Every structure is written in C-alpha cells, then in structure tokens.
Amino acid sequence: MGNTRRTRRRGPVRRTATAVAACAVALAALTAPPAQAHPAGRGAPHWDMKDTGTPDVRFRGLSAVGRDTAWVAGTGGTVLRTTDGGRDWRDVSPPGAGELQFRDVEAFDARRAVVLAVGEGEASRLYRTDDGGATWTESFRNTDPKAFYDCLAFFDHRHGLAMSDPVDGRFRILSTGDGGRTWRVLPDRGMPAALEGEAGFAASGQCLVTSGPRDVWLATGGAAHARVLHSADRGRTWTATTSPLPAGDPARGVFALAFRDRTHGLAVGGDYRPDQPSPRSAARTADGGRTWRAAGTPPAAYRSGAAWLPHSRTAALAVGPTGTDLTTDAGRTWRTVDTGSFDTVDCAHGTGCWAAGEKGRVARLEH
C-alpha cells in the first residue's frame, strides 16, 4: 500500500528484583521534567544514537534481542546486526538483495533471524539465517501477482506467520512450523471478508503481532474503517473489530499494534501524510481486542510503531517521523518525550529498547 504499507513477543521471562528496580528508576526519570537530572549525576533516559554508517537506508524492520544485540532491516536489501550495544554494526545483507525492500525482521538470538522483503509479486520474499547473517536461505518467494506481503511475527522459535494484503477479497496468511525454513498458505475460510480498499501498512513490522503460543492480531487501514483482526488459533480463524483510529482514506488506519499479554494491547497510527493531522492516533484494549477505546490524550501526530517497556504493566513507547511519545497509564494518555524521527521501536524482554528509522537512524534507550 504505497511506500508505507504494512509483536513480536517471545515467551515469558522471570522478572528479577534488579531488573524491576532498574525499570522503576527508568520510568521515574522518563516522567520527570526534562531538566531534572538523575541523583547520581546521570541524565534521564533518552535515545542514544548509534552510528550505522548507512545514511541512505531507511530501517523499518527492527528486532531487539537484548541490550547488546539487535537486528535492523531496510531499503536497498540492507540487514545490519550489532552484538555490542550498537558500537559496531556488521552488514549481513543477503547477497543479491540490493533491489529489495526489507520491512520486517524477527530475530531469535544473535545468530538466527528471518527477514521479510515486501512488494508486489516476486518482490515479496522471506529469508532465514542460522549463522548471524554469514549465509542466508531464501525460504519463500511469492508467485501470486495479487499478493503483497506486509509483515511477519513469531509465537516462538518455530511457529510464525506472515500476512499479505487481501487476495480475492481476504487477507492472506503464510504459516511456518519450522522457524521460517518452509512456509505454506493457510486456507482463508476462517478469514472475514476484507473491506473495499482495506490493506496493511508495511511501516514498522508491527501490523502483525503475537502474544503467547496462539494469539495473533492484524492491523488494517485504507478502508472506511480501521480494523483489528484477532485469531486465537495461530491464524486459522479470525474475528474483526472496528477501531477508533482515523480511516476513510488510503493513508489512514492502524499502523502498529503492541500487546503485553493476550488481553492488554495498544494500537497507533493516523494519517502518514505530513501535511495532514492525525487526531485519535492511539487506542487501547483490555479484552484482547474485542473492543477498543481511544486514548484520552493521544500522541500529537501520526505514529507508526509501538512497544511496551520491559517489566512494566503500564508504560509503553510510540514512535513516528515527528517524535517519540510515552504512556505510563497503559495508553490512556501520551506525552512527547523526544522529537527525533523513527519508524519502529522494539523492546526485548530484558532491558533493551531500540528504535530505527530514516537516514540510517538507530538508537538505544539509555538509562
């Protein structure tokens, strides 16, 4: 769907006392006035820019493995990986992929990852690496000229899905049970009919997200209503719910979802055109997406990515071309905490949060 068409959450983690305490300090600093300094002399948490050496690349794909390890994927068939907190980035792009547009990456660790290239027909492809990007295997190439794959999500290290814009009136879902080595198209009998003009947004890798072993949500836009579809059986059957986010235009809809468990989720989006306002750019659910409520104080502009902060039940970030917003009340209200441009954000289950976007911009949240 144009240039911007289009969570990953891996299993539970034990919340150590140290991690929870660190998160509490981070949240307190994030919500403090900008001029307030940390008592020990350190500044409030902020995005610390990392030099990727790729000023011509736009990174819409991002996977935070931890504080030290992250993968980014973007234009020009580019895939980068860091294992030292962003001090050094290794170009691990698949050979011969220079004409592809990578919009999503799902990494299981520092060595195993799956990347999605988007586009019509054969431009939509999936690759997998098991050796940190030293070698890649092309595991899927779309042959249907009507399909356009937007994003990718995994339930665990083996089971995952990829979604395409509607084909013959229904969203198309790919499924893997072997970590992305092979894929098959799921039957569409359990998929509701798509609305006229409805599609996904390949803007941040977050229009398809998971929580737990079976639940998955799909975000849409471009039609009369911006919807969220939910499946509780790994994509075999779906139900659709209308969201309060802007709709009625190909540039409007839900661009990203984030679920901290199978019931509590966030939706962000709006109108991606810079000359158009985006009121009602965020919503929240507490019943697994059956109903959505608009944020009382939404982000001030269009947002394309969202992520819950580690070890928190109420704090999350939303990012877009005009800045980063923070909620500390589970999506009821948001406030801008940074004005730098990012397209996507992801937080690992440990303590690492990363953001990525245009002009090779990648940053890590520093405490």
Side-chain angles (χ1 to χ4, degrees):
M1 185 174 178
N3 185 46
T4 59
R5 269 194 321 185
R6 268 240 307 165
T7 340
R8 48 199 137 247
R9 293 294 171 263
R10 297 168 284 276
V13 67
R14 186 173 62 185
R15 299 182 178 183
T16 65
T18 300
V20 173
C23 183
V25 171
L27 288 178
L30 271 173
T31 55
Q36 181 174 327
H38 189 281
R42 298 167 61 193
H46 61 281
W47 289 122
D48 182 35
M49 298 301 301
K50 306 297 182 179
D51 184 7
T52 63
T54 56
D56 297 327
V57 178
R58 187 164 196 166
F59 293 116
R60 294 185 184 273
L62 166 66
S63 187
V65 177
R67 182 164 171 78
D68 292 328
T69 300
W71 298 65
V72 291
T75 54
T78 306
V79 180
L80 305 182
R81 183 196 63 155
T82 183
T83 57
D84 59 7
R87 287 189 297 273
D88 298 292
W89 293 87
R90 177 171 294 182
D91 186 340
V92 295
S93 306
E99 299 300 316
L100 299 179
Q101 305 290 314
F102 288 126
R103 297 289 182 94
D104 201 355
V105 56
E106 298 289 330
F108 308 120
D109 49 40
R111 297 184 62 79
R112 298 175 296 166
V114 179
V115 294
L116 170 69
V118 308
E120 296 178 351
E122 293 191 2
S124 285
R125 306 179 194 180
L126 286 156
Y127 295 81
R128 178 184 165 104
T129 182
D130 289 297
D131 54 14
T135 61
W136 293 87
T137 300
E138 181 182 313
S139 56
F140 172 79
R141 181 180 296 204
N142 174 52
T143 58
D144 191 329
K146 295 178 289 186
F148 185 119
Y149 284 86
D150 296 299
C151 40
L152 169 71
F154 276 83
F155 302 93
D156 52 42
H157 290 186
R158 296 177 55 202
H159 301 92
L161 303 175
M163 59 81 67
S164 163
D165 289 340
V167 175
D168 297 328
R170 286 179 168 81
F171 284 94
R172 174 168 288 182
I173 303 296
L174 280 181
S175 175
T176 181
D178 56 12
R181 294 177 178 86
T182 60
W183 298 85
R184 67 184 181 94
V185 176
L186 292 181
D188 65 3
R189 293 185 299 273
M191 176 67 72
L195 304 177
E196 183 177 356
E198 190 173 29
F201 290 99
S204 61
Q206 295 175 324
C207 67
L208 186 74
V209 303
T210 65
S211 181
R214 306 189 71 82
D215 286 276
V216 56
W217 295 263
L218 186 160
T220 82
H225 304 286
R227 302 197 297 175
V228 178
L229 281 63
H230 171 240
S231 171
D233 56 11
R234 289 185 182 164
R236 289 172 176 80
T237 60
W238 298 78
T239 57
T241 302
T242 299
S243 83
L245 270 68
D249 186 277
R252 299 173 184 164
V254 181
F255 282 70
L257 299 167
F259 276 79
R260 66 171 171 81
D261 53 41
R262 67 188 308 267
T263 57
H264 297 87
L266 303 169
V268 300
D271 189 320
Y272 72 75
R273 295 171 294 190
D275 61 340
Q276 297 295 315
S278 290
R280 308 187 318 279
S281 59
R284 59 189 172 89
T285 181
D287 57 13
R290 288 192 293 272
T291 60
W292 291 88
R293 300 182 63 181
T297 305
Y302 153 74
R303 294 294 180 252
S304 55
W308 292 89
L309 288 177
H311 310 299
S312 175
R313 299 178 62 83
T314 58
L317 297 170
V319 301
T322 62
T324 300
D325 295 278
L326 169 74
T327 179
T328 56
D329 54 15
R332 292 172 178 82
T333 61
W334 297 81
R335 72 178 181 90
T336 302
V337 293
D338 184 88
T339 56
S341 174
F342 294 110
D343 290 312
T344 186
V345 59
D346 191 31
C347 295
H349 276 295
T351 58
C353 289
W354 296 77
E358 63 180 344
K359 300 178 180 180
R361 287 169 56 87
V362 178
R364 186 178 67 179
L365 191 67
E366 296 293 343
H367 300 165

